[in-house]
Amino acid sequence: MQRANILYIFKILKEYSDEDNIISTNEIIKKLQQNYDITLDRRTIYSCITSLQEFGYDISDNKENHNRGYYLRERDLEDLEIDLLIDAIYSLPYISTSRTKELVEKLQKLQSKYKRRKIDQLTPIKNKSDKKTQNQMVFLNLELLNEAIKFKKQVSFQYYKYGLDKKLHLRRDKPYIVNPYGMVSINQKYHLICNLDGYPEISFYRIDMMKDIKILKQIHR
């Protein structure tokens, strides 16, 4: 049970503390009760935070803060690094709007709640639907293509293009069959480097325009 208490206290520090928002022992006790229905005394709080510090977590404590409380001083990413990554995700057209929101929320969980920017205050590119792909399968495409490249397997896929209505339309009924060699980002769009089966010329296909990717049994050289 002691280990679980340490984990819950760490989650409280991660969510509710930073250098501008020092959380007191009483506030930690209150958050534990509200969020996890756990009741701990002050001595247990002290013991758990000491254990976290001994384990290597950089936690500023009462000794440094003139008995004001605690805050998690060091995180996996700095706030500026997180903001830069969020802006980059919003600017990449091959990441769909829904997946962009998911990734941003994951990054923001690395910050305290007080440092998170409101999503509606982020870069306006998110409001331009023509700037973000409509293909929700881009990340699955990347995983499948990476596996095919690793094991030198051919792949088949349906290829799409944007019409005048700004919607994706099938380029041809017959699937493309290619030998994949690598992936590269060109002008903020991911492309597959490959050649069509039976043709030696190298081709580039936008990965956000692919659907129904299948890894074939055929191995290419």
Side-chain angles (χ1 to χ4, degrees):
M1 190 62 184
Q2 176 71 2
R3 292 180 180 179
N5 292 338
I6 293 173
L7 176 61
Y8 288 129
I9 290 172
F10 179 70
K11 292 177 71 173
I12 293 294
L13 291 171
K14 190 175 180 182
E15 179 75 7
Y16 297 102
S17 77
D18 55 53
E19 66 274 16
D20 299 318
N21 297 276
I22 298 173
I23 187 169
S24 69
T25 304
N26 287 338
E27 289 174 310
I28 293 174
I29 292 171
K30 183 178 179 181
K31 293 295 184 186
L32 287 169
Q33 180 64 48
Q34 290 176 340
N35 294 2
Y36 307 111
D37 195 25
I38 294 173
T39 302
L40 298 179
D41 57 32
R42 298 173 68 88
R43 182 174 297 180
T44 303
I45 301 295
Y46 301 148
S47 174
C48 289
I49 290 178
T50 298
S51 295
L52 286 168
Q53 290 172 322
E54 291 174 348
F55 192 70
Y57 288 104
D58 191 359
I59 299 170
S60 181
D61 55 28
N62 281 313
K63 295 177 183 178
E64 296 180 349
N65 297 316
H66 307 290
N67 292 319
R68 292 170 59 196
Y70 307 90
Y71 72 88
L72 187 60
R73 185 159 38 203
E74 186 177 352
R75 294 174 182 267
D76 293 334
L77 291 173
E78 299 290 337
D79 291 323
L80 177 59
E81 293 172 327
I82 291 173
D83 288 344
L84 287 172
L85 288 171
I86 287 173
D87 287 339
I89 289 169
Y90 266 118
S91 70
L92 295 174
Y94 56 80
I95 303 179
S96 68
T97 300
S98 62
R99 194 58 188 265
T100 293
K101 186 173 182 293
E102 291 176 10
L103 290 172
V104 168
E105 288 175 349
K106 287 181 179 180
L107 281 171
Q108 287 185 324
K109 286 180 180 179
L110 298 175
Q111 300 174 294
S112 75
K113 62 175 295 186
Y114 308 107
K115 296 290 187 178
R116 297 168 190 165
R117 289 186 292 170
K118 293 182 179 179
I119 290 180
D120 59 5
Q121 294 176 349
L122 298 177
T123 174
I125 196 172
K126 70 183 179 65
N127 294 321
K128 298 179 181 180
S129 59
D130 58 331
K131 295 293 184 181
K132 283 290 187 180
T133 182
Q134 298 173 22
N135 188 352
Q136 304 294 328
M137 305 298 292
V138 172
F139 278 74
L140 177 59
N141 289 353
L142 290 169
E143 291 178 8
L144 290 171
L145 292 172
N146 186 63
E147 181 179 348
I149 292 167
K150 179 179 179 180
F151 294 103
K152 298 182 178 181
K153 294 291 188 70
Q154 288 187 335
V155 297
S156 68
F157 57 85
Q158 296 286 6
Y159 201 61
Y160 288 73
K161 63 179 179 179
Y162 281 107
L164 296 176
D165 58 359
K166 297 183 179 180
K167 295 181 179 180
L168 289 174
H169 296 273
L170 193 61
R171 194 165 185 175
R172 73 180 195 189
D173 292 333
K174 184 180 179 181
Y176 289 74
I177 298 177
V178 303
N179 302 312
Y181 300 110
M183 294 179 282
V184 62
S185 179
I186 304 174
N187 296 326
Q188 295 188 324
K189 298 177 178 65
Y190 256 121
H191 292 72
L192 175 67
I193 305 171
C194 61
N195 65 279
L196 285 165
D197 188 37
Y199 296 86
E201 296 84 5
I202 294 295
S203 300
F204 295 82
Y205 291 92
R206 278 178 55 177
I207 294 172
D208 60 316
M209 297 294 182
M210 298 178 183
K211 291 187 179 182
D212 302 319
I213 294 179
K214 295 180 176 65
I215 300 176
L216 306 179
K217 294 181 179 180
Q218 182 68 31
I219 298 175
H220 69 83
R221 294 184 180 272

